Amino acid sequence: MIKPGLLIFLTIATGMLLPGQNAACGHEWLLEQQDVVAGLRVANARRLLDSFGKSRNLNAFQRTEITISVVVHIVWQKQEENISDERVFSQIEALNRDFNGENTDLSNVPKEFEAFIAKQGIRFCLAAADPQGEPTSGILSVKTEINAIGTKSALYSTAGGGSDAWDTQRYLNIWVANTGDFVSGFGTYPGQVSPDREGLVIHPRYFGKNNSNRYKLGRVAVHEAGHYFGLLHPWGDDEDCTTDDGVEDTPPQRAPYKGCPAHPQMSCSKANMFMNFMDYVDDECMVMFTKGQMNRMMNTIEAFRPGLVSATVPCVNQSGKEPETVFMLSPNPSSGMIMVNFKNDFSEIGKVEMFNSVGQKVFHITTVLSDGMQLDFSNLVAGVYFVKIGCHLEKMMIK
């Protein structure tokens, strides 16, 4: 006969022999680490975002797509933690796929939730220039001697064995580092941490396309990016259905789901949207953000992270080796009137922005983008400027 105490010991030991089986989002762990001041900042951010959600029409979601530059810090102790560039590229692809409703498994969304699917949102690219303007692949690899550094303050310090953040107002910093057996990763909510620690931390086991059992499609980072952009778990702060995530089109629910449940699952007198990216189900069973969630994330960027959008950081191309040139400006230098020639022939509505040498936006227009289009910058003073179309940037001089 097995004694109860021994049974508990065996259960714990079995969990220890299966690292990662019970790993989950570190949002609650991060809440426990924050001090009172940070807690007040988070509470204020939540109230502000909740008020935005109630004052704006979710059906009027017509925002322009934005692109955010990413730097990936791979901080590794064991060789298997030093993941390949291909894994990083697959993670960027996963973020772009899921934040824009381009995932083929959207067909798994139950019919009653189809009208809420967000299909336009945020795009991500690896940064092709570092904070000093020097060329980069957007991927850093740093060897450390610190075990499980992903949950330690040393992660954010190059001198301490980790990797210093790049300007968190201009870049989304993602640290890929060992977070132990029970935390798959975490994303910092607005105001939750000091600026030098803002971003995502993801265990290398679950980063990008990988061989783990539950989290193999790169959706740990999708979930944690949701927190970074102001999203909460859909079950709220209690189990009596009186609080939720502050998003109107995500049904209230009592608790998280795990694995791959069958629809419908009921709580709070509602069918629950367990297939949402902000629940705890396996990667293969989380497939959607709602329009309300995308609206909240866009509001978060406007209110708390506007520098991510206005940053004049060029993107690497899909090979991850160099900036992609998709348009050319002529003449360059120019007296102000320029012509834009695109690499590919197309015609679509898009945004053109211009920034001065210190990153201030001095011009913006939403117009029909087409080969041979002309722009008039003759009202600007002589100097060096950067023209941004989509996520691509070209340098020009006005004389």
Side-chain angles (χ1 to χ4, degrees):
M1 178 177 178
I2 299 177
K3 296 181 180 179
L6 181 58
L7 180 60
I8 293 172
F9 171 78
L10 290 173
T11 302
I12 295 173
T14 302
M16 292 173 66
L17 291 172
L18 296 171
Q21 289 289 319
N22 297 312
C25 167
H27 183 68
E28 279 74 22
W29 172 83
L30 196 59
L31 288 175
E32 293 173 0
Q33 312 305 309
Q34 69 188 28
D35 58 24
V36 175
V37 174
L40 290 174
R41 289 197 301 264
V42 168
N44 288 335
R46 288 181 58 172
R47 280 194 291 269
L48 179 63
L49 294 171
D50 287 351
S51 69
F52 282 165
K54 293 175 182 177
S55 64
R56 303 188 184 191
N57 182 1
L58 299 183
N59 294 322
F61 181 66
Q62 297 291 335
R63 300 195 187 223
T64 303
E65 180 181 279
I66 63 173
T67 301
I68 291 172
S69 297
V70 178
V71 55
V72 176
H73 310 256
I74 303 168
V75 184
W76 58 281
Q77 183 187 36
K78 301 175 182 177
Q79 188 58 47
E80 61 264 28
E81 298 171 353
N82 187 20
I83 62 173
S84 66
D85 287 358
E86 287 70 27
R87 284 271 297 279
V88 176
F89 302 153
S90 74
Q91 182 62 74
I92 300 299
E93 290 172 2
L95 288 166
N96 284 322
R97 173 197 70 205
D98 291 343
F99 270 81
N100 292 277
E102 296 170 351
N103 47 311
T104 58
D105 49 9
L106 272 178
S107 59
N108 297 333
V109 175
K111 191 169 185 62
E112 65 184 292
F113 297 141
E114 286 179 353
F116 304 123
I117 297 172
K119 292 190 176 180
Q120 178 193 30
I122 304 167
R123 292 206 174 269
F124 304 83
C125 72
L126 288 168
D130 69 13
Q132 289 72 46
E134 296 299 320
T136 177
S137 67
I139 304 172
L140 308 179
S141 180
V142 177
K143 191 175 188 310
T144 185
E145 300 302 323
I146 302 173
N147 184 48
I149 192 174
T151 56
K152 298 171 182 175
S153 60
L155 177 67
Y156 311 99
S157 168
T158 300
S163 184
D164 292 341
W166 288 7
D167 183 356
T168 55
Q169 294 186 27
R170 300 172 58 213
Y171 299 85
L172 167 57
N173 285 258
I174 302 179
W175 287 269
V176 182
N178 190 328
T179 52
D181 289 340
F182 302 104
V183 174
S184 57
F186 54 89
T188 60
Y189 200 82
Q192 192 167 28
V193 296
S194 59
D196 61 326
R197 300 187 181 193
E198 289 184 335
L200 316 183
V201 179
I202 309 296
H203 196 298
R205 187 185 295 137
Y206 311 119
F207 194 75
K209 199 170 183 180
N210 61 77
N211 296 319
S212 66
N213 291 327
R214 296 186 58 199
Y215 309 128
K216 57 189 176 185
L217 300 179
R219 285 172 167 166
V220 168
V222 172
H223 177 106
E224 302 307 340
H227 287 312
Y228 173 82
F229 290 121
L231 297 187
L232 301 169
H233 298 138
W235 53 88
D237 299 324
D238 52 44
E239 296 185 1
D240 62 4
C241 301
T242 59
T243 65
D244 67 2
D245 60 354
V247 178
E248 292 185 28
D249 59 0
T250 57
Q253 67 183 60
R254 183 167 285 115
Y257 290 91
K258 295 183 180 181
C260 285
H263 178 75
Q265 297 289 327
M266 307 292 294
S267 71
C268 304
S269 303
K270 298 281 187 179
N272 293 163
M273 194 184 285
F274 60 81
M275 72 292 307
N276 193 278
F277 287 127
M278 298 312 295
D279 213 315
Y280 277 179
V281 294
D282 293 357
D283 273 16
E284 291 181 333
C285 296
M286 56 169 63
V287 300
M288 68 176 288
F289 286 120
T290 68
K291 293 176 182 177
Q293 287 177 314
M294 190 59 66
N295 202 40
R296 187 180 179 99
M297 289 192 280
M298 293 293 195
N299 287 336
T300 298
I301 293 171
E302 289 181 6
F304 299 102
R305 309 195 190 282
L308 295 176
V309 181
S310 62
T312 57
V313 181
C315 297
V316 301
N317 63 17
Q318 290 185 352
S319 71
K321 300 302 180 184
E322 59 185 16
E324 181 182 9
T325 300
V326 298
F327 66 91
M328 294 184 64
L329 308 172
S330 62
N332 189 5
S334 167
S335 60
M337 185 66 72
I338 67 166
M339 179 179 291
V340 183
N341 291 111
F342 290 93
K343 182 178 179 180
N344 298 313
D345 187 23
F346 65 92
S347 179
E348 62 182 42
I349 299 293
K351 184 164 59 174
V352 179
E353 299 170 295
M354 177 176 265
F355 302 85
N356 62 21
S357 58
V358 295
Q360 296 171 320
K361 186 187 296 185
V362 296
F363 174 90
H364 72 276
I365 187 173
T366 300
T367 186
V368 177
L369 304 176
S370 59
D371 194 48
M373 65 182 289
Q374 291 190 327
L375 297 171
D376 185 1
F377 299 132
S378 57
N379 63 326
L380 298 176
V381 299
V384 176
Y385 294 87
F386 297 88
V387 176
K388 184 178 182 182
I389 301 178
C391 66
H392 303 282
L393 200 72
E394 291 296 331
K395 184 178 179 180
M396 74 166 296
M397 290 187 64
I398 294 180
K399 57 185 180 181

